[in-house]
């Protein structure tokens, strides 16, 4: 089998999730950067062949072209079951998926880079206001879910698909100056994940296409 290929953008929340999943499964891969703000990059013929939607992440693995972050993560969990991303208990599996979907479906789309950019172009500062508002609203519910179900991690003491989605949304919350003081459970779990070398390796600043810092 050829080495997997990940089409990614350093700051993409969706791609970040998949980088974490690959690191947790200890899967080595080739990184192919796609600049989401460059039409030339997004229209790369090889990339478009694998993903006509011209979005990241796109993962080429085992002869398959996989798209959409949660679909990719669930494929990786089924194809490479150790370590598992879902608990054995049915209730905890449901809680893990619910938290992941709350972040991916209810919070992330409303503060995506493209939306932030478009709103700020229409009115200076409005994108920042918009993203702060919807991340805050989403975090209010997320904190309550975590208070109910968390242990060391989002659901009990096992890393799950829910935890994979935490770092990117926390990163964006800091960019949009969200007040994190009402969310102690979320902050605690995020701090635990930050200490894991596998999560550290997936961080945007460590990606090949990240801007060089002086």
């Amino acid at each position: 089998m050829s080495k997997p290929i990940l089409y990614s953008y350093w700051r993409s929340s969706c791609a970040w999730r998949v980088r974490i999943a690959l690191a947790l499964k200890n899967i080595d891969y080739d990184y192919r950067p796609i600049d989401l703000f460059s039409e030339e990059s997004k229209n790369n013929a090889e990339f478009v062949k694998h993903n006509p939607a011209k979005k990241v992440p796109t993962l080429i693995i085992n002869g398959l072209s996989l798209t959409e972050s949660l679909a990719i993560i669930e494929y990786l969990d089924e194809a490479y079951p150790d370590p598992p991303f879902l608990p054995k208990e049915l209730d905890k599996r449901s809680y893990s998926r619910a938290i992941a979907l709350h972040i991916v479906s209810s919070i992330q789309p409303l503060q995506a880079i493209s939306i932030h950019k478009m709103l700020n172009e229409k009115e200076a500062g409005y994108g920042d206001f918009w993203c702060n508002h919807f991340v805050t609203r989403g975090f209010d519910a997320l904190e309550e879910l975590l208070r109910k179900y968390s242990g060391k991690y989002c659901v009990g003491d096992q890393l799950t698909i829910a935890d994979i989605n935490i770092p990117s949304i926390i990163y964006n919350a800091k960019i949009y100056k969200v007040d994190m003081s009402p969310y102690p459970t979320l902050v605690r779990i995020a701090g635990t994940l930050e200490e894991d070398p596998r999560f550290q390796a997936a961080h945007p600043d460590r990606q090949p296409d990240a801007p060089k810092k002086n």
Side-chain angles (χ1 to χ4, degrees):
M1 284 290 185
S2 59
K3 193 174 183 180
I5 296 169
L6 178 66
Y7 288 96
S8 179
Y9 177 62
W10 70 285
R11 258 203 66 192
S12 163
S13 299
C14 303
W16 190 347
R17 299 171 197 140
V18 172
R19 295 196 301 265
I20 292 172
L22 289 165
L24 291 172
K25 296 293 187 181
N26 197 29
I27 298 172
D28 191 22
Y29 59 91
D30 284 332
Y31 186 103
R32 302 276 178 87
I34 295 294
D35 185 347
L36 297 182
F37 296 102
S38 165
E39 291 302 317
E40 180 181 1
S41 183
K42 289 193 296 183
N43 284 290
N44 174 289
E46 186 66 19
F47 172 57
V48 175
K49 179 181 75 174
H50 293 295
N51 189 347
K54 305 177 185 179
K55 299 190 301 182
V56 297
T58 299
L59 180 66
I60 316 305
I61 189 169
N62 298 334
L64 303 173
S65 301
L66 304 179
T67 62
E68 300 299 334
S69 62
L70 282 189
I72 294 172
I73 291 167
E74 294 220 13
Y75 169 84
L76 292 173
D77 201 35
E78 293 169 358
Y80 305 90
D82 187 32
F85 290 157
L86 289 168
K88 292 180 180 179
E89 301 89 345
L90 287 178
D91 57 342
K92 291 183 178 179
R93 293 169 77 90
S94 181
Y95 302 152
S96 301
R97 287 190 171 109
I99 291 169
L101 285 167
H102 175 66
I103 296 171
V104 171
S105 300
S106 298
I107 305 176
Q108 193 273 330
L110 291 168
Q111 52 83 71
I113 298 170
S114 57
I115 289 178
H116 177 259
K117 181 175 182 289
M118 180 189 71
L119 291 173
N120 270 351
E121 286 175 350
K122 290 183 72 68
E123 181 180 339
Y126 189 65
D128 299 306
F129 166 79
W130 171 283
C131 292
N132 179 290
H133 171 78
F134 283 106
V135 172
T136 298
R137 190 178 74 171
F139 278 9
D140 289 343
L142 179 58
E143 177 69 14
E144 291 304 311
L145 290 171
L146 295 177
R147 284 177 182 169
K148 289 176 66 175
Y149 305 132
S150 68
K152 180 179 180 181
Y153 298 111
C154 288
V155 179
D157 296 327
Q158 177 187 340
L159 270 171
T160 71
I161 194 170
D163 300 283
I164 291 172
N165 293 277
I166 294 293
S168 58
I169 203 65
I170 292 288
Y171 182 92
N172 289 347
K174 292 177 180 178
I175 291 174
Y176 303 133
K177 297 180 172 56
V178 172
D179 177 10
M180 296 301 294
S181 60
Y183 315 117
T185 314
L186 176 56
V187 169
R188 174 182 60 77
I189 293 168
T192 298
L193 299 175
E194 286 177 359
E195 297 174 359
D196 189 319
R198 298 167 298 179
F199 280 74
Q200 293 170 6
H203 193 280
D205 291 347
R206 295 196 175 189
Q207 306 317 305
D209 54 332
K212 302 301 180 188
K213 293 186 176 180
N214 295 328

